[in-house]
């Protein structure tokens, strides 16, 4: 995810400086990173889900990607054509900032994936990555039940 962020940042710098060479470089780097990111996302999804779940997960990932493109096609001209909002430079800068959020999300996925992988290796999960991601230890669930009961006005000793 760092490569698309770097590419989007270079692209927005190129737009701000009206430099075609820098814009082309940024777009090239962005494209390289996004292709690699798509492969990595598919790999993670195939590790996390089994059987029919993989198809649904990949369909959802693809659908979200298409919705993002539609949103971009709607919002970019609005921001770019409004001088009060910073014009075209702001439009590209927003893209770079949103790509930065992709880096943060990838970091969170890395932590979750590593924790689930450790649970699988220790034998705490039943048999698949999905189980490792979704299972809670009994003690954790009991604590959640007690806390919820207390919030409802119970004594937690149900």
């Amino acid at each position: 995810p760092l490569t698309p962020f770097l590419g989007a940042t270079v692209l927005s710098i190129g737009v701000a400086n009206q430099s075609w060479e820098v814009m082309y470089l940024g777009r090239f780097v962005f494209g390289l990173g996004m292709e690699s990111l798509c492969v990595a996302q598919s790999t993670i999804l195939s590790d996390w889900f089994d059987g029919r779940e993989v198809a649904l997960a990949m369909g959802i990932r693809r659908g979200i990607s298409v919705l993002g493109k539609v949103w971009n096609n709607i919002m970019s001209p609005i921001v770019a054509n409004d001088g009060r909002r910073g014009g075209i430079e702001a439009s590209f800068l927003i893209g770079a900032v949103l790509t930065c959020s992709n880096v943060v999300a990838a970091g969170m996925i890395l932590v979750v994936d590593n924790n689930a992988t450790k649970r699988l290796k220790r034998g705490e999960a039943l048999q698949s990555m999905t189980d490792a991601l979704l299972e809670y230890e009994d003690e954790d669930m009991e604590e959640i039940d007690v806390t919820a009961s207390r919030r409802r006005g119970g004594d937690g000793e149900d």
Side-chain angles (χ1 to χ4, degrees):
L2 288 177
T3 308
F5 171 63
L6 177 65
T9 303
V10 170
L11 177 61
S12 65
I13 291 169
V15 169
N17 293 319
Q18 298 179 354
S19 169
W20 283 102
E21 293 82 13
V22 176
M23 285 189 266
Y24 284 138
L25 175 65
R27 192 67 182 127
F28 177 76
V29 171
F30 180 82
L32 283 177
M34 288 308 293
E35 288 302 316
S36 300
L37 186 61
C38 287
V39 171
Q41 288 173 339
S42 296
T43 302
I44 289 171
L45 288 176
S46 66
D47 284 346
W48 283 11
F49 298 99
D50 293 325
R52 294 181 187 169
E53 296 172 346
V54 175
L56 177 62
M58 288 189 179
I60 290 171
R61 179 189 63 85
R62 180 74 176 130
I64 290 171
S65 173
V66 170
L67 286 174
K69 290 175 185 176
V70 169
W71 182 254
N72 177 57
N73 290 340
I74 292 169
M75 293 306 298
S76 288
I78 292 171
V79 173
N81 292 326
D82 188 354
R84 293 173 290 144
R85 293 189 178 133
I88 194 165
E89 293 88 1
S91 179
F92 280 89
L93 184 61
I94 290 170
V97 170
L98 289 175
T99 308
C100 180
S101 69
N102 188 15
V103 173
V104 172
M108 292 179 352
I109 288 172
L110 183 64
V111 169
V112 169
D113 188 54
N114 284 338
N115 288 340
T117 301
K118 288 176 187 174
R119 290 187 73 192
L120 275 174
K121 287 181 180 174
R122 288 193 308 244
E124 293 176 9
L126 293 176
Q127 52 183 273
S128 71
M129 182 67 88
T130 305
D131 296 331
L133 289 168
L134 298 177
E135 281 185 355
Y136 292 98
E137 294 181 17
D138 291 336
E139 297 161 4
D140 294 339
M141 289 307 290
E142 288 174 11
E143 181 64 31
I144 291 170
D145 290 341
V146 168
T147 304
S149 176
R150 287 183 183 153
R151 286 187 182 153
R152 289 189 306 260
D155 60 4
E157 300 294 326
D158 295 337

